[in-house]
Amino acid sequence: MVPKTEKIWMDGKFVDWDNAKVHILTHSLHYGLAVFEGIRCYKTEEGPAVFRLKDHVERLFKSAHIFTLKIPFSEEEIFEAIKETIRVNKIDSCYIRPIVYVGYGNMGLYPKNNPIQVAIAVWSWGAYLGEEGLQRGIKVKTSSFIRNHVNSNMSRGKVAGYYVNSQLAKIEAISCGFDEAVLLDTEGYVSEGSGENIFLIRNGYLKTTPLTSILEGITRDSVITIAKDLGIDVKEERFTRDELYISDEAFFTGTAAEITPIREVDGRSIGQGSRGPITEKIQSLFFDIVKGKASKYKHWLDYV
Ligand code: PPE
């Protein structure tokens, strides 16, 4: 169960957690058109700080733009509402879920006459793929489900409907005894995890999927920056599943997943079959950054 907090922001007002309800004929619930964000706020010595808040709010508005949803608030209003939701709930580390959805009104596939509504919830969310996964790495299965074609679902938009494909992959992976799925794109190259971007490391350089069939991850972008700062070469190039099999190290990135090492893919161990040294170095700097311990990256933090 999601651990409750006190209040949820709904269309400009705070509502008690238990009363944060919508009508059963809410359009998005039936047809999957809702854009959302996943953001984390970390406890730091100077109080709670949100990681790359501006970038997340911008992506929310870009997602809405792609799907022609007109958000009835400005970017500044959503930015402030997120910070206010954290303050009101007196929480110093949390996951933040803003969602823009098509409300109750007409049914049928033309959403343009329905109200566009916005909600922001926060709750405490620990390691997405387990604390042990962060330390030791996880077991991944190449999914039998293919990532949506670039002209099917608009991968640049973080839209609810995108995640039906992800859930098919995740359910299959778990039922086969794995921790997570990696999906291939329509041409057979590696795209991303069900809710994460993916990186591999070979001969000291980092490789990650180019921004074609994947979500433009903010953690992915952070890792590229961190790696370059550490003097590690980064290639944004497509790669095959067998390149993953013979990589020295691999990891997933995402707001929820943070930086989760991959220790096995389809029954083949990756490197030593545990978290690799370069992954550990990047992961450790990432956690220092989000916890406000790396002054060079303070501009990525927004104090609540
Ligand atoms: N790809 C997908 C498909 C994805 O859902 C995410 C985030 C990413 C890449 C990484 O993006 P970023 O968070 O900007 O680094 N997935 C979100 C939803 C997870 C969930 O289960 O809900 C997240 O990590 O918040």
Side-chain angles (χ1 to χ4, degrees):
M1 281 282 279
V2 186
K4 287 185 191 179
T5 53
E6 258 180 61
K7 303 278 183 192
I8 293 181
W9 186 98
M10 291 182 86
D11 304 311
K13 292 189 197 78
F14 284 107
V15 178
D16 288 340
W17 178 282
D18 288 328
N19 289 328
K21 294 176 181 163
V22 294
H23 194 278
I24 194 65
L25 294 185
T26 295
H27 199 274
S28 293
L29 183 59
H30 297 256
Y31 307 121
L33 183 55
V35 295
F36 67 93
E37 270 305 314
I39 314 170
R40 273 190 193 267
C41 170
Y42 291 89
K43 183 178 177 177
T44 79
E45 272 173 11
E46 290 142 89
V50 185
F51 185 62
R52 301 193 65 171
L53 179 55
K54 192 162 182 289
D55 298 307
H56 281 283
V57 172
E58 268 173 20
R59 188 171 66 184
L60 181 70
F61 277 76
K62 284 180 182 146
S63 296
H65 176 73
I66 291 170
F67 291 96
T68 74
L69 300 176
K70 225 180 139 2
I71 302 181
F73 296 92
S74 67
E75 289 194 31
E76 295 67 37
E77 284 169 323
I78 297 300
F79 184 91
E80 285 308 322
I82 289 171
K83 295 215 280 187
E84 189 56 19
T85 308
I86 299 165
R87 285 193 286 264
V88 162
N89 285 295
K90 302 177 199 74
I91 192 164
D92 40 44
S93 96
C94 59
Y95 184 81
I96 306 157
R97 169 56 52 82
I99 182 162
V100 175
Y101 58 101
V102 184
Y104 166 67
N106 293 321
M107 290 301 272
L109 293 176
Y110 187 69
K112 300 296 273 189
N113 297 319
N114 288 37
I116 302 303
Q117 297 185 259
V118 188
I120 303 162
V122 301
W123 65 87
S124 158
W125 202 352
Y128 187 62
L129 294 157
E131 201 50 56
E132 197 187 316
L134 279 184
Q135 314 275 333
R136 295 191 47 227
I138 58 164
K139 285 164 49 172
V140 173
K141 179 189 183 340
T142 303
S143 186
S144 71
F145 299 98
I146 299 301
R147 197 35 123 193
N148 302 308
H149 184 277
V150 290
N151 280 324
S152 298
N153 217 340
M154 310 293 104
S155 63
R156 217 49 98 251
K158 198 167 169 63
V159 61
Y162 191 69
Y163 290 89
V164 173
N165 178 238
S166 285
Q167 289 175 80
L168 284 169
K170 183 91 182 192
I171 292 165
E172 178 188 61
I174 303 276
S175 75
C176 295
F178 295 82
D179 304 306
E180 184 54 288
V182 62
L183 293 99
L184 305 180
D185 66 19
T186 47
E187 288 178 81
Y189 294 90
V190 172
S191 69
E192 61 183 342
S194 69
E196 309 89 359
N197 292 124
I198 190 166
F199 285 77
L200 63 77
I201 299 168
R202 278 187 84 192
N203 308 320
Y205 63 78
L206 232 63
K207 194 185 268 192
T208 191
T209 325
L211 292 174
T212 47
S213 61
I214 58 166
L215 184 78
E216 194 169 358
I218 291 168
T219 321
R220 174 187 179 280
D221 177 73
S222 308
V223 164
I224 291 173
T225 305
I226 294 170
K228 286 181 179 163
D229 288 351
L230 289 170
I232 302 165
D233 217 12
V234 185
K235 301 179 202 286
E236 292 180 65
E237 267 171 31
R238 58 187 195 174
F239 55 89
T240 55
R241 65 199 277 185
D242 61 347
E243 186 164 353
L244 199 52
Y245 294 163
I246 57 168
S247 62
D248 304 325
E249 303 180 31
F251 57 85
F252 276 133
T253 64
T255 298
E258 299 168 310
I259 296 176
T260 301
I262 297 171
R263 69 178 152 92
E264 205 181 292
V265 180
D266 300 338
R268 282 99 170 156
S269 65
I270 303 301
Q272 300 303 310
S274 59
R275 174 173 62 188
I278 298 178
T279 305
E280 189 172 354
K281 198 167 166 189
I282 295 171
Q283 194 192 40
S284 144
L285 178 53
F286 175 80
F287 281 118
D288 279 351
I289 292 169
V290 297
K291 289 172 186 160
K293 294 179 190 159
S295 51
K296 186 174 171 191
Y297 302 92
K298 280 261 168 106
H299 61 281
W300 278 346
L301 300 183
D302 257 293
Y303 291 90
V304 173

